Amino acid sequence: MSGPVFRFAPSPTGRLHRGHAFSALTAWRACKAARGEFRLRIEDIDQIRCRPEFEAGVIEDLAWLGLTWDGPVLRQSGRGAAYQAALDRLAEQGLAYRCFRTRREVAEAMTRAPHGQETVFFGERLPERDERSRLETGEAFAWRLDARAAAGRTGALDFLETGSGPAGETGRQAVLPGSAGDIVLARRDIGVAYHLAVVVDDAFQGVTTVVRGCDLFGATHVQRLLQALLGLSAPTYHHHRLLVGEDGKRYAKRDRAETLQALRERGVTPARLIAELDLD
Ligand code: GLU
Protein backbone atom coordinates (compact mmCIF):
# COMPACT_ATOMS: atom_id res chain seq x y z
CA MET A 1 0.00 0.00 0.00
CA SER A 2 1.31 3.46 -0.82
CA GLY A 3 1.66 6.11 1.86
CA PRO A 4 -0.33 9.25 2.55
CA VAL A 5 -0.38 12.08 0.01
CA PHE A 6 -0.86 15.72 0.98
CA ARG A 7 -1.13 18.83 -1.16
CA PHE A 8 -1.01 22.58 -1.31
CA ALA A 9 -3.24 24.10 -3.99
CA PRO A 10 -2.91 27.88 -4.27
CA SER A 11 -4.64 30.05 -6.86
CA PRO A 12 -2.05 32.35 -8.47
CA THR A 13 -4.20 35.47 -8.38
CA GLY A 14 -1.70 37.45 -6.34
CA ARG A 15 1.46 37.07 -4.27
CA LEU A 16 1.32 34.79 -1.24
CA HIS A 17 0.93 36.31 2.23
CA ARG A 18 1.29 35.02 5.81
CA GLY A 19 -2.04 33.18 5.62
CA HIS A 20 -0.76 31.10 2.71
CA ALA A 21 2.52 30.44 4.49
CA PHE A 22 0.57 29.21 7.52
CA SER A 23 -1.56 26.90 5.38
CA ALA A 24 1.29 25.55 3.26
CA LEU A 25 3.50 24.90 6.30
CA THR A 26 0.67 23.27 8.25
CA ALA A 27 0.07 20.85 5.36
CA TRP A 28 3.77 20.27 4.76
CA ARG A 29 4.56 19.56 8.41
CA ALA A 30 1.62 17.16 8.69
CA CYS A 31 2.92 15.45 5.56
CA LYS A 32 6.45 15.10 6.92
CA ALA A 33 5.15 13.80 10.28
CA ALA A 34 3.14 11.15 8.42
CA ARG A 35 6.08 10.36 6.08
CA GLY A 36 3.83 11.22 3.20
CA GLU A 37 4.31 12.73 -0.23
CA PHE A 38 3.58 16.36 -0.90
CA ARG A 39 2.03 17.62 -4.14
CA LEU A 40 1.84 21.15 -5.46
CA ARG A 41 -1.13 22.11 -7.58
CA ILE A 42 -1.58 25.48 -9.22
CA GLU A 43 -5.28 26.29 -9.36
CA ASP A 44 -5.21 28.53 -12.39
CA ILE A 45 -8.51 27.74 -14.10
CA ASP A 46 -9.47 31.39 -14.08
CA GLN A 47 -7.13 32.65 -16.74
CA ILE A 48 -8.29 36.24 -16.33
CA ARG A 49 -7.36 36.51 -12.64
CA CYS A 50 -4.40 34.12 -12.62
CA ARG A 51 -1.06 35.32 -13.95
CA PRO A 52 2.20 33.51 -14.77
CA GLU A 53 4.18 35.94 -12.63
CA PHE A 54 2.05 35.03 -9.61
CA GLU A 55 2.71 31.35 -10.27
CA ALA A 56 6.44 32.10 -10.40
CA GLY A 57 5.95 33.98 -7.12
CA VAL A 58 4.33 30.92 -5.50
CA ILE A 59 7.29 28.75 -6.44
CA GLU A 60 9.77 31.37 -5.23
CA ASP A 61 7.97 31.91 -1.92
CA LEU A 62 7.57 28.20 -1.17
CA ALA A 63 11.24 27.61 -1.90
CA TRP A 64 12.11 30.50 0.42
CA LEU A 65 10.03 28.88 3.18
CA GLY A 66 12.05 25.70 2.66
CA LEU A 67 9.12 23.75 1.35
CA THR A 68 9.68 20.95 -1.15
CA TRP A 69 7.24 18.86 -3.15
CA ASP A 70 7.26 15.49 -4.83
CA GLY A 71 6.57 14.97 -8.50
CA PRO A 72 5.68 17.58 -11.10
CA VAL A 73 3.62 20.68 -10.41
CA LEU A 74 0.07 20.15 -11.66
CA ARG A 75 -1.57 23.09 -13.41
CA GLN A 76 -5.33 23.12 -13.65
CA SER A 77 -5.14 25.13 -16.86
CA GLY A 78 -3.91 21.99 -18.60
CA ARG A 79 -6.61 19.70 -17.24
CA GLY A 80 -9.62 20.73 -19.32
CA ALA A 81 -10.17 17.28 -20.85
CA ALA A 82 -10.34 15.61 -17.43
CA TYR A 83 -12.88 18.16 -16.17
CA GLN A 84 -14.95 17.78 -19.32
CA ALA A 85 -15.01 13.99 -18.88
CA ALA A 86 -16.25 14.41 -15.29
CA LEU A 87 -18.90 16.89 -16.37
CA ASP A 88 -20.05 14.56 -19.17
CA ARG A 89 -20.36 11.77 -16.65
CA LEU A 90 -22.61 13.86 -14.40
CA ALA A 91 -24.66 15.08 -17.36
CA GLU A 92 -25.11 11.52 -18.66
CA GLN A 93 -26.46 10.51 -15.25
CA GLY A 94 -28.97 13.36 -15.46
CA LEU A 95 -27.31 15.18 -12.56
CA ALA A 96 -26.14 18.32 -14.34
CA TYR A 97 -28.22 20.86 -16.23
CA ARG A 98 -27.60 23.96 -18.30
CA CYS A 99 -28.51 27.14 -16.44
CA PHE A 100 -29.01 30.19 -18.64
CA ARG A 101 -29.65 32.63 -15.79
CA THR A 102 -27.32 35.53 -15.39
CA ARG A 103 -25.67 36.23 -12.06
CA ARG A 104 -28.26 38.90 -11.36
CA GLU A 105 -31.15 36.57 -12.19
CA VAL A 106 -29.74 33.97 -9.80
CA ALA A 107 -29.49 36.61 -7.06
CA GLU A 108 -33.09 37.70 -7.72
CA ALA A 109 -34.35 34.11 -7.60
CA MET A 110 -32.70 33.75 -4.20
CA THR A 111 -34.51 36.80 -2.77
CA ARG A 112 -37.84 35.53 -4.10
CA ALA A 113 -37.39 32.13 -2.43
CA PRO A 114 -40.11 31.14 0.14
CA HIS A 115 -37.98 31.97 3.17
CA GLY A 116 -37.04 35.39 1.93
CA GLN A 117 -33.32 35.68 1.62
CA GLU A 118 -31.91 32.32 0.63
CA THR A 119 -28.17 31.99 0.52
CA VAL A 120 -28.12 29.08 -1.88
CA PHE A 121 -29.69 28.65 -5.26
CA PHE A 122 -31.79 25.79 -6.60
CA GLY A 123 -32.63 26.06 -10.27
CA GLU A 124 -34.19 23.72 -12.76
CA ARG A 125 -33.57 22.18 -16.12
CA LEU A 126 -35.44 23.98 -18.89
CA PRO A 127 -37.91 22.09 -21.04
CA GLU A 128 -36.02 20.61 -23.99
CA ARG A 129 -37.53 22.87 -26.64
CA ASP A 130 -36.74 25.99 -24.69
CA GLU A 131 -33.19 24.80 -24.08
CA ARG A 132 -32.68 24.00 -27.74
CA SER A 133 -33.83 27.40 -28.92
CA ARG A 134 -31.54 29.16 -26.44
CA LEU A 135 -28.63 27.04 -27.60
CA GLU A 136 -29.43 27.88 -31.20
CA THR A 137 -29.30 31.59 -30.47
CA GLY A 138 -25.93 31.09 -28.80
CA GLU A 139 -27.05 32.13 -25.33
CA ALA A 140 -24.39 31.59 -22.67
CA PHE A 141 -25.01 29.06 -19.92
CA ALA A 142 -23.31 27.48 -16.92
CA TRP A 143 -23.58 23.83 -15.97
CA ARG A 144 -25.09 23.32 -12.53
CA LEU A 145 -25.40 20.27 -10.32
CA ASP A 146 -28.93 19.12 -9.64
CA ALA A 147 -28.25 18.82 -5.92
CA ARG A 148 -31.58 17.24 -4.99
CA ALA A 149 -31.31 14.55 -7.65
CA ALA A 150 -27.69 13.99 -6.66
CA ALA A 151 -28.57 13.50 -2.99
CA GLY A 152 -31.20 10.95 -3.95
CA ARG A 153 -28.63 9.07 -5.99
CA THR A 154 -25.92 8.66 -3.36
CA GLY A 155 -27.83 8.14 -0.12
CA ALA A 156 -26.18 9.22 3.13
CA LEU A 157 -22.51 10.21 2.93
CA ASP A 158 -19.94 11.38 5.42
CA PHE A 159 -16.34 12.53 5.64
CA LEU A 160 -13.72 12.42 8.34
CA GLU A 161 -12.58 15.76 9.78
CA THR A 162 -9.38 15.52 11.79
CA GLY A 163 -9.02 19.25 12.29
CA SER A 164 -12.05 21.41 12.86
CA GLY A 165 -14.59 23.44 10.98
CA PRO A 166 -15.46 27.05 11.82
CA ALA A 167 -17.90 25.93 14.55
CA GLY A 168 -15.52 23.36 16.00
CA GLU A 169 -16.88 20.47 13.90
CA THR A 170 -14.60 17.49 14.21
CA GLY A 171 -14.73 13.72 13.66
CA ARG A 172 -17.18 12.03 11.29
CA GLN A 173 -19.32 14.62 9.53
CA ALA A 174 -22.61 13.76 7.87
CA VAL A 175 -22.69 15.34 4.42
CA LEU A 176 -25.44 17.91 3.93
CA PRO A 177 -25.87 17.43 0.18
CA GLY A 178 -28.11 20.42 -0.46
CA SER A 179 -26.18 22.81 1.78
CA ALA A 180 -24.68 24.67 -1.15
CA GLY A 181 -27.66 24.33 -3.51
CA ASP A 182 -27.19 23.68 -7.21
CA ILE A 183 -23.55 24.64 -7.39
CA VAL A 184 -21.94 25.68 -10.65
CA LEU A 185 -19.95 22.81 -12.13
CA ALA A 186 -18.74 24.67 -15.17
CA ARG A 187 -18.67 28.42 -15.47
CA ARG A 188 -19.82 29.99 -18.69
CA ASP A 189 -16.50 31.80 -19.12
CA ILE A 190 -13.94 29.14 -18.23
CA GLY A 191 -15.67 25.80 -18.76
CA VAL A 192 -15.14 24.44 -15.25
CA ALA A 193 -15.62 25.66 -11.69
CA TYR A 194 -13.72 25.22 -8.44
CA HIS A 195 -15.45 22.21 -6.83
CA LEU A 196 -15.34 19.97 -9.87
CA ALA A 197 -11.71 20.80 -10.65
CA VAL A 198 -10.67 20.15 -7.03
CA VAL A 199 -12.27 16.72 -6.70
CA VAL A 200 -11.02 15.56 -10.10
CA ASP A 201 -7.49 16.70 -9.29
CA ASP A 202 -7.38 15.48 -5.69
CA ALA A 203 -8.23 12.03 -7.06
CA PHE A 204 -5.80 12.33 -9.99
CA GLN A 205 -2.96 13.29 -7.66
CA GLY A 206 -3.84 10.48 -5.24
CA VAL A 207 -4.40 12.93 -2.39
CA THR A 208 -5.32 11.09 0.81
CA THR A 209 -5.32 14.04 3.22
CA VAL A 210 -6.55 17.52 2.41
CA VAL A 211 -5.15 20.14 4.78
CA ARG A 212 -6.60 23.61 4.20
CA GLY A 213 -8.19 26.59 5.91
CA CYS A 214 -11.51 26.17 7.72
CA ASP A 215 -13.09 28.69 5.35
CA LEU A 216 -13.31 25.72 2.96
CA PHE A 217 -15.00 23.42 5.47
CA GLY A 218 -18.43 24.05 3.90
CA ALA A 219 -17.02 23.24 0.46
CA THR A 220 -16.21 19.75 1.71
CA HIS A 221 -19.89 18.79 1.78
CA VAL A 222 -20.19 19.53 -1.93
CA GLN A 223 -16.86 17.98 -2.76
CA ARG A 224 -17.68 14.74 -0.94
CA LEU A 225 -20.95 14.55 -2.85
CA LEU A 226 -19.16 15.02 -6.18
CA GLN A 227 -16.61 12.34 -5.25
CA ALA A 228 -19.42 9.86 -4.61
CA LEU A 229 -21.18 10.74 -7.88
CA LEU A 230 -17.96 10.37 -9.85
CA GLY A 231 -16.84 7.19 -8.10
CA LEU A 232 -13.73 8.87 -6.64
CA SER A 233 -12.24 7.89 -3.31
CA ALA A 234 -12.65 10.33 -0.43
CA PRO A 235 -9.63 11.88 1.27
CA THR A 236 -9.54 12.67 4.97
CA TYR A 237 -9.95 16.38 5.71
CA HIS A 238 -8.04 18.51 8.14
CA HIS A 239 -9.25 22.09 8.24
CA HIS A 240 -7.03 24.47 10.17
CA ARG A 241 -7.78 27.77 11.84
CA LEU A 242 -7.34 30.92 9.81
CA LEU A 243 -4.47 33.13 10.67
CA VAL A 244 -5.56 36.56 11.78
CA GLY A 245 -3.61 39.80 11.83
CA GLU A 246 -3.20 42.18 14.74
CA ASP A 247 -6.54 43.74 13.82
CA GLY A 248 -8.22 40.36 14.38
CA LYS A 249 -9.01 40.05 10.69
CA ARG A 250 -7.88 37.15 8.55
CA TYR A 251 -5.14 37.75 6.03
CA ALA A 252 -6.52 38.18 2.55
CA LYS A 253 -5.21 39.21 -0.83
CA ARG A 254 -8.04 41.68 -1.26
CA ASP A 255 -7.04 43.55 1.90
CA ARG A 256 -3.53 43.93 0.53
CA ALA A 257 -1.98 41.79 3.25
CA GLU A 258 1.77 42.16 3.35
CA THR A 259 3.23 39.64 0.90
CA LEU A 260 5.96 37.13 1.66
CA GLN A 261 8.00 38.89 -0.99
CA ALA A 262 7.70 42.19 0.90
CA LEU A 263 8.61 40.47 4.18
CA ARG A 264 11.66 38.97 2.55
CA GLU A 265 12.70 42.30 1.09
CA ARG A 266 12.59 43.96 4.47
CA GLY A 267 14.90 41.31 5.84
CA VAL A 268 12.53 38.93 7.64
CA THR A 269 14.03 35.45 7.60
CA PRO A 270 11.97 32.30 7.04
CA ALA A 271 12.90 31.16 10.56
CA ARG A 272 11.55 34.38 12.08
CA LEU A 273 8.37 34.20 10.08
CA ILE A 274 7.82 30.54 10.99
CA ALA A 275 8.31 31.34 14.69
CA GLU A 276 5.87 34.22 14.41
CA LEU A 277 3.24 32.07 12.68
CA ASP A 278 2.94 29.93 15.80
CA LEU A 279 1.97 26.83 13.86
CA ASP A 280 -0.33 24.38 15.65
N1 GLU B 1 -7.16 27.16 -4.57
C1 GLU B 1 -7.86 27.38 -3.34
C2 GLU B 1 -7.36 28.65 -2.69
O1 GLU B 1 -6.29 29.13 -3.02
C3 GLU B 1 -7.68 26.24 -2.35
C4 GLU B 1 -8.44 25.05 -2.75
C5 GLU B 1 -8.38 23.90 -1.77
O2 GLU B 1 -7.47 23.81 -0.94
O3 GLU B 1 -9.24 23.04 -1.90
O4 GLU B 1 -8.05 29.18 -1.85
Side-chain angles (χ1 to χ4, degrees):
M1 210 186 112
S2 46
V5 179
F6 293 68
R7 48 82 154 177
F8 181 55
S11 307
T13 54
R15 293 294 304 224
L16 302 186
H17 51 66
R18 282 183 177 83
H20 295 110
F22 182 84
S23 194
L25 284 160
T26 301
W28 191 77
R29 288 191 171 192
C31 175
K32 295 296 133 188
R35 297 181 184 282
E37 290 188 25
F38 196 71
R39 309 261 183 259
L40 178 60
R41 179 165 80 231
I42 301 293
E43 302 215 317
D44 59 350
I45 47 172
D46 187 341
Q47 288 286 301
I48 312 255
R49 293 177 61 228
C50 297
R51 291 206 230 129
E53 61 266 34
F54 293 142
E55 180 188 322
V58 167
I59 309 278
E60 188 181 310
D61 291 341
L62 295 181
W64 178 70
L65 287 169
L67 245 132
T68 50
W69 49 92
D70 306 292
V73 176
L74 188 72
R75 279 178 199 82
Q76 291 193 323
S77 52
R79 299 267 302 144
Y83 306 143
Q84 187 60 48
L87 179 60
D88 289 348
R89 190 161 165 187
L90 295 172
E92 278 156 22
Q93 294 177 71
L95 299 173
Y97 64 90
R98 291 184 182 88
C99 176
F100 293 86
R101 295 194 212 209
T102 61
R103 211 180 265 249
R104 171 187 288 191
E105 285 166 349
V106 167
E108 279 168 9
M110 276 154 55
T111 16
R112 278 200 313 270
H115 307 292
Q117 196 76 33
E118 286 288 341
T119 50
V120 296
F121 172 74
F122 290 97
E124 69 287 296
R125 181 185 310 261
L126 289 179
E128 217 178 305
R129 262 182 51 197
D130 195 357
E131 184 175 276
R132 212 177 314 126
S133 71
R134 283 172 190 251
L135 287 174
E136 275 162 13
T137 57
E139 219 177 291
F141 63 86
W143 282 98
R144 284 186 182 268
L145 178 72
D146 183 339
R148 293 180 178 121
R153 204 65 63 88
T154 63
L157 294 170
D158 60 23
F159 64 89
L160 181 60
E161 173 63 57
T162 62
S164 69
E169 301 92 335
T170 193
R172 276 271 150 224
Q173 303 294 308
V175 167
L176 309 168
S179 58
D182 289 354
I183 53 126
V184 173
L185 294 166
R187 281 167 47 177
R188 57 189 83 214
D189 51 347
I190 56 177
V192 68
Y194 163 67
H195 296 295
L196 188 64
V198 164
V199 297
V200 168
D201 288 342
D202 279 338
F204 178 70
Q205 293 188 290
V207 173
T208 61
T209 316
V210 171
V211 179
R212 61 186 179 188
C214 66
D215 52 333
L216 288 169
F217 179 80
T220 312
H221 289 270
V222 180
Q223 293 176 11
R224 181 69 194 93
L225 176 63
L226 290 177
Q227 286 154 359
L229 296 171
L230 293 167
L232 306 173
S233 59
T236 294
Y237 288 87
H238 186 98
H239 291 90
H240 59 70
R241 68 185 168 90
L242 297 181
L243 194 68
V244 292
E246 275 165 16
D247 56 2
K249 287 208 308 206
R250 58 176 285 213
Y251 286 98
K253 277 177 207 159
R254 57 184 173 276
D255 298 336
R256 305 225 173 106
E258 188 178 21
T259 65
L260 300 184
Q261 179 186 31
L263 283 165
R264 183 160 65 241
E265 281 166 7
R266 70 176 169 84
V268 175
T269 61
R272 199 175 116 204
L273 174 66
I274 291 167
E276 183 203 301
L277 289 176
D278 192 19
L279 294 158
D280 298 324

